[in-house]
């Protein structure tokens, strides 16, 4: 799966079709189906949410 997030995700309407075309022409041979291209559900906050989740997981392991 290819996930577009942040500023790239905001412009996904311009990018998804060309990415699919390039994937068909130049993607890894032998894949049973092309990789799915999706836009991050958290939009611009995806990195922030991921960083917070990582921090909380790390914190809970060190205090577990």
């Amino acid at each position: 799966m290819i996930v577009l997030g942040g500023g790239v995700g905001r412009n996904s309407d311009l990018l998804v079709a060309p990415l699919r075309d390039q994937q068909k022409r130049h993607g890894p041979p032998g894949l049973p189906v092309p990789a799915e291209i999706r836009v991050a559900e958290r939009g611009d906050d995806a990195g922030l949410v991921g960083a917070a989740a990582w921090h909380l997981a790390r914190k809970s392991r060190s205090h577990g």
Side-chain angles (χ1 to χ4, degrees):
M1 178 182 293
I2 299 169
V3 179
L4 305 175
V8 173
R10 281 195 313 263
N11 294 297
S12 63
D13 55 330
L14 302 172
L15 298 171
V16 171
L19 281 170
R20 285 190 177 127
D21 181 54
Q22 291 299 312
Q23 182 182 16
K24 286 178 189 171
R25 290 199 268 157
H26 305 290
L31 288 178
V33 294
E36 184 179 354
I37 300 172
R38 298 188 64 181
V39 177
E41 293 178 5
R42 301 288 183 204
D44 284 347
D45 293 336
L48 199 58
V49 170
W54 174 81
H55 173 73
L56 291 173
R58 190 167 179 228
K59 185 177 176 183
S60 71
R61 281 191 299 246
S62 67
H63 292 97

